[in-house]
Amino acid sequence: VVDGSRFLAELHSLQSLRQRNWHADPEDERTISHLLCDQVEFANVIVLNKCDLLGKEERREVKDLIQTMNPTARVLESEFSSVPISSVL
C-alpha cells in the first residue's frame, strides 16, 4: 500500500528509518526513500491509496512514477484502502 498523498515527498526524504524508529535491525541504515523504492520495485500488486486527496495531475504523476519503477506490477487506485480482496490475492 502506497500513501499517494505522501509518496512524492517521502521519496525525496533523506531521513533514515532509524530516525523514525522504523528499523527492525540495528544494522539497517536505509533512508525512507530507499524503503519506498524497495517496496515498490519488488511488489506485484500496489495499492495506490488516498487517491481522494490527490489532484488529477498529481495522481497521474504518482501512478506514472510507480509504473516506471515497476512496470510489471498491477497498480490499484483506492480511497481508504478499499479494494476487492480478490485483486490483491
Side-chain angles (χ1 to χ4, degrees), residues 9-58:
E10 296 288 17
L11 197 59
H12 293 99
S13 174
L14 297 177
Q15 204 172 28
S16 72
L17 299 178
R18 184 178 317 282
Q19 288 172 304
R20 291 202 190 169
N21 285 333
W22 287 6
H23 63 289
D25 182 347
E27 307 278 323
D28 193 349
E29 296 187 10
R30 290 177 297 168
T31 64
I32 301 299
S33 179
H34 285 121
L35 176 65
L36 289 175
C37 289
D38 287 348
Q39 290 177 337
V40 168
E41 289 173 350
F42 293 101
N44 57 356
V45 177
I46 299 168
V47 177
L48 178 56
N49 194 37
K50 298 186 181 180
C51 286
D52 55 316
L53 302 179
L54 299 171
K56 189 176 182 177
E57 290 302 315
E58 187 178 13

Side-chain angles (χ1 to χ4, degrees), residues 36-88:
L36 289 175
C37 289
D38 287 348
Q39 290 177 337
V40 168
E41 289 173 350
F42 293 101
N44 57 356
V45 177
I46 299 168
V47 177
L48 178 56
N49 194 37
K50 298 186 181 180
C51 286
D52 55 316
L53 302 179
L54 299 171
K56 189 176 182 177
E57 290 302 315
E58 187 178 13
R59 182 188 300 198
R60 172 65 26 215
E61 181 181 1
V62 171
K63 190 172 181 181
D64 286 350
L65 180 56
I66 289 170
Q67 290 176 322
T68 298
M69 293 170 71
N70 186 341
T72 62
R74 193 159 132 215
V75 180
L76 306 170
E77 296 182 21
S78 73
E79 298 173 12
F80 301 100
S81 294
S82 179
V83 294
I85 192 72
S86 60
S87 336
V88 292

